Amino acid sequence: MESSVPSLASIENWPVPTAAAAVVRADGTLAGAHGPTGQRFALASVTKPLVAYAVLVAYEEGAVDLDEPAGPEGATVRHLLAHTSGLAFDENRVMAAPGTRRIYSNTGFEALGDHVAKATDIPFAEYLHQAVLEPLGMTSTTLEGSPAKDGVSTVDDLVRFAAEVQAPRLLDARTVRDAMTVTYPGLTGILPGYGHQRPNDWGLGFEIRGGKSPHWTGASSSPRTFGHFGQAGTFLWIDPDARAACVALTDRPFGPWAVEAWPPFTDAVLADLRAGA
């Protein structure tokens, strides 16, 4: 197919060994793709939206409740998903009372994986496979360790996931709306790589753009845009106003190159979509 998103080819100019990207519309059709979309890349924290989706499946199945205790004293599944449990970034240490600060926490997502595994009596990587990856045909995606950061996937597989989030089949659409709606509004916190944000808005496992500045999405991205980026040089955003999602995976760690390259890339993709993609 001829890509209706010519700006995707600009990933060739990124200072990375390998990059692949694609745009999928809200109706599930592929608007365009570029690069080795079948190559497996480490996701880093782009693992988290996949994990959050599996936790929400467990919720809808009745295996867990969003407001049941999980993680540190006083915290719930909802707190863990929204990075408001009070747990530190990468250690099992409580830094705040639940619901009072937005502390981005890998430890919190590891606690989520443990909680679902105990509730379902299924190892979490296997639960993720059964609940999300297998039903969506994400045959090249695996969780190799921590639910916070050890996913491996392809652009092709993440396109399937982004299509699902935009038109849910595995979850009730209301549950997905909750996941992309600000949870515990008004909380401040640090967005890794981008500094202190007031407020630092998150939904349930998805970061919400809001009015954050600086940010890894584009200046023209709608405030409702949600998604995640990873320290492996990876991102997935979904812009409900543009009715499209974009996935980009690379094999160079996140750094100043990404801070510089990603926002204009996203603005160019959105301009292509507005031009009739």
Side-chain angles (χ1 to χ4, degrees), residues 209-273:
R209 191 196 194 296
K212 290 179 180 137
S213 182
H215 199 256
W216 54 275
T217 60
S220 59
S221 297
S222 80
R224 294 203 299 150
T225 299
F226 63 104
H228 223 292
F229 81 93
Q231 290 295 323
T234 53
F235 71 73
L236 161 64
W237 56 250
I238 299 169
D239 189 334
D241 290 5
R243 294 187 52 75
C246 182
V247 179
L249 302 181
T250 79
D251 52 4
R252 181 181 180 186
F254 174 85
W257 73 266
V259 173
E260 184 177 328
W262 288 353
F265 170 78
T266 288
D267 284 332
V269 166
L270 291 169
D272 283 345
L273 290 168

Side-chain angles (χ1 to χ4, degrees), residues 51 55 80 108-119 122-125 147:
V51 165
V55 173
L80 291 169
F109 264 70
E110 287 159 1
L112 274 173
D114 289 343
H115 188 79
V116 171
K118 284 176 186 156
I122 301 171
F124 184 75

